[in-house]
Amino acid sequence: MATQLAATSLAIFAAAPAGGGGLITMLPILLILPVMYFLMIRPQQKKQKQWQEMLSGIKSGDRITTSGGIRGTILSIKDDAVIIKVAPDGIKMEVAKSSIASVTTQEAG
């Protein structure tokens, strides 16, 4: 949708006569910028902030799922990595914190 609006605005701007119009031809472009911010940029920033808060709140015993689909329980936390235990064999793995997609605390489940 945003690309269609951008294309339409650019087409209007390109079709405008060279001598006049000024603000009228720039108006669609100026209106697209706030629309793009509220539809694309702001939601992504909000999601990134929630993910950072989730990572800062992890603790030993939390169950996690990585972005690769590995599920396990956190045993210990390092600066930029966590050690998890994966069922059923109890294999210990070290994964980067940035690969954690979701966290389920023991109290919740």
Side-chain angles (χ1 to χ4, degrees):
M1 181 176 151
T3 56
Q4 290 175 337
L5 290 173
T8 304
S9 297
L10 290 175
I12 291 171
F13 183 68
L23 184 62
I24 299 296
T25 57
M26 292 293 288
L27 190 60
I29 294 173
L30 294 174
L31 291 175
I32 286 177
L33 295 175
V35 169
M36 286 182 61
Y37 175 78
F38 283 108
L39 290 179
M40 296 171 60
I41 298 169
R42 188 166 180 244
Q44 182 61 31
Q45 287 176 339
K46 190 174 182 180
K47 185 177 178 180
Q48 180 73 19
K49 184 178 177 183
Q50 288 174 341
W51 181 71
Q52 289 289 342
E53 289 174 357
M54 176 194 69
L55 285 184
S56 66
I58 61 174
K59 60 188 178 303
S60 294
D62 287 349
R63 292 196 37 83
I64 64 163
T65 302
T66 66
S67 56
I70 298 172
R71 294 181 178 170
T73 305
I74 296 176
L75 296 176
S76 65
I77 302 171
K78 297 181 180 180
D79 290 333
D80 62 343
V82 293
I83 306 284
I84 62 172
K85 184 172 76 171
V86 182
D89 297 331
I91 297 172
K92 294 180 184 176
M93 299 178 74
E94 181 174 346
V95 296
K97 275 187 180 180
S98 61
S99 70
I100 297 174
S102 64
V103 176
T104 307
T105 59
Q106 285 187 335
E107 297 86 36

